[in-house]
Structures are given as C-alpha cells and as structure tokens.
Amino acid sequence: MFRLQGSKVLAVDMTGDAVKAKNGSMVAYDGQMAFRKLSGGGEGLRGMVTRRLTGEQMTVMEVKGHGTCWFADRASEINLVALRGDKLYVESSNLLATDAGLRTGTTFTGLRGASQGNGLFTTTVEGHGQAAIMSDGPAVVLRVSPQYPLAVDPGAYIAHQGEVRQSFQSGVTFRTFLGEGGGEAFQIRFEGDGLVYVQPSERNTIAGDL
C-alpha cells in the first residue's frame, strides 16, 4: 500500500510483496527487506538498449519483504497515481516508485524528447496498481477533453494518462508572448480525454527558453 507522509515522503507497507523504486531513493525501512538492483528503465533488452542510446540509463531497485519502506528524492513533491488497467506516460526523472506488478517500458516521443534533452523515449507504466511520481513544487493535474485541448510548456510537463493524443508544435512558446523567448520555441499539445500532470517549476532544456 502506497501512502504519503507529508508531501515529500512515500511510505510503502508490504506484506511479502514488492515495489520498484528509483535507486538511492529509500531513506528508511523497518521489518525484513531484501533488495535487488534492476537495469534499465524498461523491462528486458529493449528497455536497456533504448535508455543507453538516449543517455537515459535509469537505475531501478526492487524491494521485497515484510514491513514499511520510506522513499524520497531531493525533497521533491510526491503524487500518487492509481492505474486501473490504463497506461501512464511519465518522464523518467519524475518516476519515484511503482507496484512491482505494474509493467514498465519505454515509448518513442519524437521531437519533444529531443527538445528537452531527456532523450527520445518516455517511460510507460501500465497495469493495475499505484505509481508515485515526483514534481518540483506541488503538481497540478489538468483535464483534457474533446472540447478543450491543452497546450503545455515542455519544461513543466511531468506525465499524462488516458485516451490522449500528443503532438508537438513549434514557432510559439509561453515566454514569447512576454518578449522573453530565446532559441527554438515549442509547445506540447494534448487532445482527447485524459489527465496531464504539470509542475510549477520548469526543468532545464536544450533548446533554450522553452
């Protein structure tokens, strides 16, 4: 069971089951636990190869046992996402932990990944269970509907889920309107029906002031 203690610490209560988490994110545990290091951000050879090609080697550990583990990473805010057979797309740097039963992998994201410097692949999480994602500051969950598509600054994007189509638009950015734009300008456009998670603090990007 995933639960938050405050907004920056994840507590996971285990009764013989397991959890996958970002390596080095465990801050404490009680009870009897076994630890195993996993390679790659996805499952199997493909996940390992794609991470290496994009410079996104992601180290994950599996924790299994009886007791409670506590996880945190750089005082980031933590958000719980419940999956009920659907798929979550999340930037690898923003994924803290998942139920071991959830399947993780990678998906090609095209130009958006290149503009952010986060590689051309985004991590996917699917199945039934819980995932914990991180944000720099409290995350905001925005709904996308057929009537109301959503445009997001690439530096603020964390994750999305649902029946959502994603496209990449160039030529305009939020800062351009204020006369502060520099370099290439991009937006991510979401259409369909689902949720998009954004953070109030932008990450650094390759393409300048996005």
Side-chain angles (χ1 to χ4, degrees):
M1 184 182 74
F2 284 25
R3 54 188 173 87
L4 294 180
Q5 290 198 202
S7 62
K8 299 180 180 181
V9 177
L10 170 69
V12 182
D13 301 315
M14 288 183 281
T15 56
D17 45 348
V19 61
K20 290 184 288 189
K22 183 177 181 179
N23 196 45
S25 64
M26 188 178 64
V27 295
Y29 73 92
D30 63 22
Q32 299 294 321
M33 299 291 169
F35 308 93
R36 183 165 64 100
K37 183 177 179 181
L38 306 176
S39 297
E43 294 175 340
L45 182 62
R46 178 178 176 273
M48 293 173 64
V49 170
T50 53
R51 290 298 176 195
R52 286 174 181 158
L53 285 176
T54 59
E56 278 190 39
Q57 184 66 20
M58 181 180 173
T59 307
V60 178
M61 63 179 177
E62 182 183 71
V63 185
K64 184 176 184 179
H66 293 78
T68 300
C69 277
W70 289 269
F71 300 91
D73 187 50
R74 294 170 298 175
S76 298
E77 300 280 337
I78 300 171
N79 311 270
L80 299 183
V81 179
L83 296 176
R84 299 176 178 86
D86 51 331
K87 183 182 291 187
L88 174 72
Y89 298 80
V90 56
E91 294 300 310
S92 60
S93 59
N94 294 101
L95 181 61
L96 178 63
T98 68
D99 284 339
L102 290 173
R103 299 182 301 279
T104 56
T106 54
T107 186
F108 182 70
T109 57
L111 292 176
R112 180 176 63 78
S115 73
Q116 284 186 251
N118 284 351
L120 297 177
F121 294 84
T122 288
T123 298
T124 59
V125 182
E126 59 183 318
H128 291 81
Q130 285 185 296
I133 61 176
M134 299 179 293
S135 58
D136 186 1
V140 178
V141 185
L142 304 174
R143 173 160 289 282
V144 179
S145 67
Q147 297 82 12
Y148 296 100
L150 183 68
V152 175
D153 187 311
Y157 167 81
I158 301 172
H160 72 273
Q161 66 183 131
E163 298 298 321
V164 176
R165 298 181 305 280
Q166 177 184 332
S167 60
F168 196 74
Q169 296 181 330
S170 61
V172 66
T173 185
F174 295 95
R175 293 184 183 179
T176 300
F177 297 126
L178 303 176
E180 298 176 357
E184 287 187 277
F186 301 101
Q187 287 181 354
I188 312 171
R189 182 178 175 87
F190 294 95
E191 299 176 276
D193 188 7
L195 301 174
V196 178
Y197 299 80
V198 299
Q199 62 185 6
S201 175
E202 295 181 6
R203 66 174 67 83
N204 292 328
T205 59
I206 284 180
D209 292 334
L210 297 185

